[in-house]
Amino acid sequence: RLRVMLYEKKTKWTTELPKIVKAYNETPHSTTFFAPNYLLNGVIDAPFFIEQQENNLEADRKLAYERTKYAMCKRADSFDEKHKDVTFKEEELVLKKVPNNDPTRTKLSKRNDGPFKISKVVNKWTFELKRIDTDNQKIIKAHVSQLLPFFKRGSLPSNRGE
C-alpha cells in the first residue's frame, strides 16, 4: 500500500507513514481477530455504517491471548513435523553451513565448512567446535541448525542391498 500511495501522491514516505500505521492498527489481526488499537487502547475506530457491539475489553484480551497461544502451538507442531531432531555428541565430526550472506561467499563457494570436532555440548541446541584440519584451535559456537554430520569418504553405509 505504501508504494501505491507514494506513487500516486508523489510525496515522501515519511509524510504518509502515520496514515499507514493508523490503518494497520485499525485492521483486525488474522490470528486474534481484533485490531491492535482496540486491544491496546480499547478504542474501536469502525466506520459509522458498521453496527457497534458492546465489548468487554478484558474478556476480548483474554480471548486474543488464547487465540495467539493456540496459533503458536499450531505453528510449533507444524515445525516439529517438518524438522527432524538431530543430536550431536562430543568428539563427533561435523560440517558447519556457510551463511548465504557471508561476505566471502560467491556463486562457486563451498556451502559447508569443516570438518570440525565438537569440543563441548553447551546445551541441546548450541555446540562449541574446533577445526581439525589446521593448527588454529579457535573455538567457534554454532547452533544445531548450522551443523551437518560429517562422513569420511567410504564410510557411508551402502543402500544397494548388498
Side-chain angles (χ1 to χ4, degrees):
R1 283 198 241 176
L2 180 60
R3 184 174 19 181
V4 173
M5 191 180 286
L6 294 176
Y7 183 75
E8 290 173 355
K9 295 188 178 185
K10 307 283 188 213
T11 59
K12 290 185 176 182
W13 68 270
T14 54
T15 59
E16 300 299 327
L17 193 59
K19 294 177 193 170
I20 293 168
V21 170
K22 185 177 186 308
Y24 175 82
N25 286 332
E26 292 173 355
T27 305
H29 193 274
S30 61
T31 300
T32 63
F33 300 110
F34 293 108
N37 197 25
Y38 170 66
L39 292 175
L40 186 63
N41 303 319
V43 177
I44 301 175
D45 290 328
F48 67 92
F49 53 85
I50 294 180
E51 186 179 321
Q52 296 290 325
Q53 298 178 356
E54 191 146 333
N55 296 318
N56 181 348
L57 183 58
E58 287 305 314
D60 290 344
R61 285 179 175 161
K62 286 180 184 175
L63 182 59
Y65 177 78
E66 289 169 10
R67 288 175 178 164
T68 302
K69 291 295 277 184
Y70 174 75
M72 286 171 54
C73 290
K74 198 171 175 182
R75 280 193 303 272
D77 291 344
S78 174
F79 178 87
D80 291 343
E81 284 176 11
K82 294 177 186 174
H83 295 83
K84 59 183 179 182
D85 191 26
V86 179
T87 57
F88 295 106
K89 300 177 185 113
E90 286 188 20
E91 302 299 315
E92 197 171 340
L93 296 179
V94 294
L95 295 173
K96 184 176 180 294
K97 293 179 187 175
V98 177
N100 290 334
N101 63 351
D102 189 290
T104 61
R105 186 167 178 168
T106 63
K107 189 176 184 179
L108 301 175
S109 297
K110 56 185 180 178
R111 295 180 184 195
N112 303 310
D113 191 19
F116 292 92
K117 186 180 280 189
I118 296 178
S119 61
K120 181 180 177 187
V121 177
V122 178
N123 58 38
K124 185 178 176 181
W125 305 277
T126 310
F127 301 89
E128 289 184 356
L129 311 174
K130 286 185 182 176
R131 185 178 288 278
I132 64 167
D133 56 357
T134 65
D135 292 332
N136 183 3
Q137 292 299 314
K138 180 180 173 186
I139 294 177
I140 300 170
K141 282 193 177 181
H143 188 267
V144 69
S145 65
Q146 299 173 317
L147 302 178
L148 297 168
F150 176 77
F151 299 103
K152 293 181 181 175
R153 288 186 186 218
S155 67
L156 286 175
S158 174
N159 57 358
R160 296 185 185 145
E162 297 174 10

